[in-house]
Amino acid sequence: MTKPTWAVLALVFAVGLVMGPSVAFAQEQKVKVQVEVVLASNKGTVVDPPELGKMKEAFQKQNFSFTSFKRMSLDTVEVGAQKPTEVKLPNGTNASLQLLGMKDGSATLRVIIPNQSSVEVELGRQGAVYQKAGKHVGGDLILVLVPPSK
């Protein structure tokens, strides 16, 4: 290395020591999100598990008349701003979640689903956010995004 390069490295190291490790190596902000994948269809009347009855009622109030709701997966993931978090869907694709920001206890996430427009959703204390996630075996996949219960 040349002398100017050493000088720059020494300066960067010294700034890191003076300003502290939190400035020199800032930690990425992350939020935990419960991600449920539900298959909603008009094949039968099964609601599995029974807790999805609330989702069925909410959809009926919005004139989405699905008769069957089946949980395909339920996970809690950490979503950060640097790199999208991938969620595998049963139709062979992945949904991506990325943190855009935090404000007043709410997280703004970008949700990217193949062959659909990406959307920004606000996830806070108001409950679940539902996002259509594509077709699967004669029904629609729905992502249910919720801050995990403490």
Side-chain angles (χ1 to χ4, degrees):
M1 284 188 177
T2 63
K3 287 186 183 193
T5 305
W6 279 110
V8 169
L9 286 176
L11 179 62
V12 168
F13 182 71
V15 167
L17 288 177
V18 170
M19 299 193 74
S22 63
V23 174
F25 301 101
Q27 283 221 327
E28 178 186 10
Q29 192 173 25
K30 292 188 176 186
V31 64
K32 287 190 179 197
V33 178
Q34 181 179 295
V35 180
E36 183 174 21
V37 179
V38 175
L39 176 63
S41 73
N42 288 314
K43 291 183 177 182
T45 58
V46 174
V47 177
D48 179 32
E51 300 92 67
L52 293 178
K54 293 178 186 176
M55 184 178 177
K56 182 177 182 178
E57 289 172 16
F59 274 47
Q60 286 174 337
K61 288 178 185 175
Q62 299 294 321
N63 292 323
F64 295 115
S65 59
F66 293 112
T67 58
S68 174
F69 291 80
K70 181 174 173 38
R71 177 184 292 155
M72 306 300 285
S73 66
L74 177 64
D75 293 303
T76 298
V77 299
E78 270 196 341
V79 179
Q82 300 295 327
K83 181 177 143 194
T85 300
E86 299 289 320
V87 176
K88 289 190 178 287
L89 300 175
N91 63 3
T93 62
N94 289 338
S96 296
L97 307 175
Q98 191 166 13
L99 180 64
L100 298 178
M102 295 283 296
K103 185 176 181 182
D104 299 328
S106 294
T108 302
L109 303 178
R110 175 175 290 129
V111 180
I112 302 169
I113 298 166
N115 301 319
Q116 295 186 38
S117 300
S118 68
V119 295
E120 292 180 10
V121 297
E122 188 171 322
L123 191 59
R125 298 180 192 100
Q126 77 280 1
V129 173
Y130 302 115
Q131 180 59 48
K132 186 177 176 185
K135 298 283 186 186
H136 184 61
V137 294
D140 288 318
L141 292 174
I142 311 292
L143 279 182
V144 183
L145 307 173
V146 181
S149 55
K150 304 248 188 252

mmCIF file with all atom_site columns, all heavy atoms in Angstrom, residues 8-18 24:
data_model
loop_
_atom_site.group_PDB
_atom_site.id
_atom_site.type_symbol
_atom_site.label_atom_id
_atom_site.label_alt_id
_atom_site.label_comp_id
_atom_site.label_asym_id
_atom_site.label_entity_id
_atom_site.label_seq_id
_atom_site.pdbx_PDB_ins_code
_atom_site.Cartn_x
_atom_site.Cartn_y
_atom_site.Cartn_z
_atom_site.occupancy
_atom_site.B_iso_or_equiv
_atom_site.pdbx_formal_charge
_atom_site.auth_seq_id
_atom_site.auth_comp_id
_atom_site.auth_asym_id
_atom_site.auth_atom_id
_atom_site.pdbx_PDB_model_num
ATOM 1  N N   . VAL A 1 8  ? -5.294  7.225  5.126  1.00 0.00 ? 8  VAL A N   1
ATOM 2  C CA  . VAL A 1 8  ? -6.757  7.201  5.050  1.00 0.00 ? 8  VAL A CA  1
ATOM 3  C C   . VAL A 1 8  ? -7.310  6.116  5.980  1.00 0.00 ? 8  VAL A C   1
ATOM 4  O O   . VAL A 1 8  ? -8.259  6.351  6.727  1.00 0.00 ? 8  VAL A O   1
ATOM 5  C CB  . VAL A 1 8  ? -7.237  6.978  3.593  1.00 0.00 ? 8  VAL A CB  1
ATOM 6  C CG1 . VAL A 1 8  ? -8.723  6.686  3.548  1.00 0.00 ? 8  VAL A CG1 1
ATOM 7  C CG2 . VAL A 1 8  ? -6.896  8.186  2.750  1.00 0.00 ? 8  VAL A CG2 1
ATOM 8  N N   . LEU A 1 9  ? -6.704  4.931  5.969  1.00 0.00 ? 9  LEU A N   1
ATOM 9  C CA  . LEU A 1 9  ? -7.150  3.862  6.847  1.00 0.00 ? 9  LEU A CA  1
ATOM 10 C C   . LEU A 1 9  ? -7.014  4.250  8.314  1.00 0.00 ? 9  LEU A C   1
ATOM 11 O O   . LEU A 1 9  ? -7.903  4.001  9.119  1.00 0.00 ? 9  LEU A O   1
ATOM 12 C CB  . LEU A 1 9  ? -6.362  2.578  6.574  1.00 0.00 ? 9  LEU A CB  1
ATOM 13 C CG  . LEU A 1 9  ? -6.720  1.843  5.281  1.00 0.00 ? 9  LEU A CG  1
ATOM 14 C CD1 . LEU A 1 9  ? -5.801  0.657  5.081  1.00 0.00 ? 9  LEU A CD1 1
ATOM 15 C CD2 . LEU A 1 9  ? -8.164  1.397  5.287  1.00 0.00 ? 9  LEU A CD2 1
ATOM 16 N N   . ALA A 1 10 ? -5.908  4.876  8.655  1.00 0.00 ? 10 ALA A N   1
ATOM 17 C CA  . ALA A 1 10 ? -5.686  5.312  10.033 1.00 0.00 ? 10 ALA A CA  1
ATOM 18 C C   . ALA A 1 10 ? -6.739  6.348  10.437 1.00 0.00 ? 10 ALA A C   1
ATOM 19 O O   . ALA A 1 10 ? -7.255  6.321  11.552 1.00 0.00 ? 10 ALA A O   1
ATOM 20 C CB  . ALA A 1 10 ? -4.283  5.872  10.193 1.00 0.00 ? 10 ALA A CB  1
ATOM 21 N N   . LEU A 1 11 ? -7.063  7.260  9.524  1.00 0.00 ? 11 LEU A N   1
ATOM 22 C CA  . LEU A 1 11 ? -8.063  8.288  9.808  1.00 0.00 ? 11 LEU A CA  1
ATOM 23 C C   . LEU A 1 11 ? -9.444  7.657  10.011 1.00 0.00 ? 11 LEU A C   1
ATOM 24 O O   . LEU A 1 11 ? -10.163 7.987  10.949 1.00 0.00 ? 11 LEU A O   1
ATOM 25 C CB  . LEU A 1 11 ? -8.100  9.318  8.673  1.00 0.00 ? 11 LEU A CB  1
ATOM 26 C CG  . LEU A 1 11 ? -9.127  10.433 8.833  1.00 0.00 ? 11 LEU A CG  1
ATOM 27 C CD1 . LEU A 1 11 ? -8.813  11.254 10.086 1.00 0.00 ? 11 LEU A CD1 1
ATOM 28 C CD2 . LEU A 1 11 ? -9.141  11.323 7.612  1.00 0.00 ? 11 LEU A CD2 1
ATOM 29 N N   . VAL A 1 12 ? -9.821  6.712  9.148  1.00 0.00 ? 12 VAL A N   1
ATOM 30 C CA  . VAL A 1 12 ? -11.118 6.036  9.265  1.00 0.00 ? 12 VAL A CA  1
ATOM 31 C C   . VAL A 1 12 ? -11.193 5.293  10.592 1.00 0.00 ? 12 VAL A C   1
ATOM 32 O O   . VAL A 1 12 ? -12.185 5.358  11.314 1.00 0.00 ? 12 VAL A O   1
ATOM 33 C CB  . VAL A 1 12 ? -11.352 5.075  8.072  1.00 0.00 ? 12 VAL A CB  1
ATOM 34 C CG1 . VAL A 1 12 ? -12.541 4.162  8.325  1.00 0.00 ? 12 VAL A CG1 1
ATOM 35 C CG2 . VAL A 1 12 ? -11.537 5.872  6.796  1.00 0.00 ? 12 VAL A CG2 1
ATOM 36 N N   . PHE A 1 13 ? -10.121 4.606  10.956 1.00 0.00 ? 13 PHE A N   1
ATOM 37 C CA  . PHE A 1 13 ? -10.080 3.878  12.217 1.00 0.00 ? 13 PHE A CA  1
ATOM 38 C C   . PHE A 1 13 ? -10.200 4.841  13.401 1.00 0.00 ? 13 PHE A C   1
ATOM 39 O O   . PHE A 1 13 ? -10.957 4.613  14.327 1.00 0.00 ? 13 PHE A O   1
ATOM 40 C CB  . PHE A 1 13 ? -8.781  3.065  12.308 1.00 0.00 ? 13 PHE A CB  1
ATOM 41 C CG  . PHE A 1 13 ? -8.689  2.247  13.559 1.00 0.00 ? 13 PHE A CG  1
ATOM 42 C CD1 . PHE A 1 13 ? -9.497  1.133  13.741 1.00 0.00 ? 13 PHE A CD1 1
ATOM 43 C CD2 . PHE A 1 13 ? -7.808  2.590  14.562 1.00 0.00 ? 13 PHE A CD2 1
ATOM 44 C CE1 . PHE A 1 13 ? -9.418  0.383  14.899 1.00 0.00 ? 13 PHE A CE1 1
ATOM 45 C CE2 . PHE A 1 13 ? -7.723  1.846  15.727 1.00 0.00 ? 13 PHE A CE2 1
ATOM 46 C CZ  . PHE A 1 13 ? -8.531  0.736  15.895 1.00 0.00 ? 13 PHE A CZ  1
ATOM 47 N N   . ALA A 1 14 ? -9.472  5.955  13.340 1.00 0.00 ? 14 ALA A N   1
ATOM 48 C CA  . ALA A 1 14 ? -9.507  6.941  14.422 1.00 0.00 ? 14 ALA A CA  1
ATOM 49 C C   . ALA A 1 14 ? -10.899 7.554  14.558 1.00 0.00 ? 14 ALA A C   1
ATOM 50 O O   . ALA A 1 14 ? -11.404 7.721  15.661 1.00 0.00 ? 14 ALA A O   1
ATOM 51 C CB  . ALA A 1 14 ? -8.469  8.036  14.173 1.00 0.00 ? 14 ALA A CB  1
ATOM 52 N N   . VAL A 1 15 ? -11.549 7.861  13.448 1.00 0.00 ? 15 VAL A N   1
ATOM 53 C CA  . VAL A 1 15 ? -12.912 8.412  13.491 1.00 0.00 ? 15 VAL A CA  1
ATOM 54 C C   . VAL A 1 15 ? -13.852 7.396  14.125 1.00 0.00 ? 15 VAL A C   1
ATOM 55 O O   . VAL A 1 15 ? -14.692 7.731  14.953 1.00 0.00 ? 15 VAL A O   1
ATOM 56 C CB  . VAL A 1 15 ? -13.392 8.820  12.074 1.00 0.00 ? 15 VAL A CB  1
ATOM 57 C CG1 . VAL A 1 15 ? -14.883 9.087  12.065 1.00 0.00 ? 15 VAL A CG1 1
ATOM 58 C CG2 . VAL A 1 15 ? -12.615 10.035 11.599 1.00 0.00 ? 15 VAL A CG2 1
ATOM 59 N N   . GLY A 1 16 ? -13.678 6.120  13.784 1.00 0.00 ? 16 GLY A N   1
ATOM 60 C CA  . GLY A 1 16 ? -14.507 5.064  14.367 1.00 0.00 ? 16 GLY A CA  1
ATOM 61 C C   . GLY A 1 16 ? -14.314 4.973  15.870 1.00 0.00 ? 16 GLY A C   1
ATOM 62 O O   . GLY A 1 16 ? -15.269 4.789  16.615 1.00 0.00 ? 16 GLY A O   1
ATOM 63 N N   . LEU A 1 17 ? -13.098 5.127  16.337 1.00 0.00 ? 17 LEU A N   1
ATOM 64 C CA  . LEU A 1 17 ? -12.838 5.068  17.771 1.00 0.00 ? 17 LEU A CA  1
ATOM 65 C C   . LEU A 1 17 ? -13.429 6.265  18.503 1.00 0.00 ? 17 LEU A C   1
ATOM 66 O O   . LEU A 1 17 ? -14.004 6.143  19.575 1.00 0.00 ? 17 LEU A O   1
ATOM 67 C CB  . LEU A 1 17 ? -11.328 5.007  18.038 1.00 0.00 ? 17 LEU A CB  1
ATOM 68 C CG  . LEU A 1 17 ? -10.649 3.681  17.693 1.00 0.00 ? 17 LEU A CG  1
ATOM 69 C CD1 . LEU A 1 17 ? -9.161  3.786  17.942 1.00 0.00 ? 17 LEU A CD1 1
ATOM 70 C CD2 . LEU A 1 17 ? -11.229 2.538  18.499 1.00 0.00 ? 17 LEU A CD2 1
ATOM 71 N N   . VAL A 1 18 ? -13.275 7.451  17.906 1.00 0.00 ? 18 VAL A N   1
ATOM 72 C CA  . VAL A 1 18 ? -13.756 8.670  18.548 1.00 0.00 ? 18 VAL A CA  1
ATOM 73 C C   . VAL A 1 18 ? -15.282 8.726  18.566 1.00 0.00 ? 18 VAL A C   1
ATOM 74 O O   . VAL A 1 18 ? -15.896 9.050  19.567 1.00 0.00 ? 18 VAL A O   1
ATOM 75 C CB  . VAL A 1 18 ? -13.179 9.924  17.829 1.00 0.00 ? 18 VAL A CB  1
ATOM 76 C CG1 . VAL A 1 18 ? -13.847 11.183 18.324 1.00 0.00 ? 18 VAL A CG1 1
ATOM 77 C CG2 . VAL A 1 18 ? -11.682 9.992  18.025 1.00 0.00 ? 18 VAL A CG2 1
ATOM 78 N N   . ALA A 1 24 ? -19.591 3.970  13.527 1.00 0.00 ? 24 ALA A N   1
ATOM 79 C CA  . ALA A 1 24 ? -18.693 3.330  12.571 1.00 0.00 ? 24 ALA A CA  1
ATOM 80 C C   . ALA A 1 24 ? -19.336 2.092  11.952 1.00 0.00 ? 24 ALA A C   1
ATOM 81 O O   . ALA A 1 24 ? -19.147 1.809  10.783 1.00 0.00 ? 24 ALA A O   1
ATOM 82 C CB  . ALA A 1 24 ? -17.382 2.956  13.251 1.00 0.00 ? 24 ALA A CB  1
#
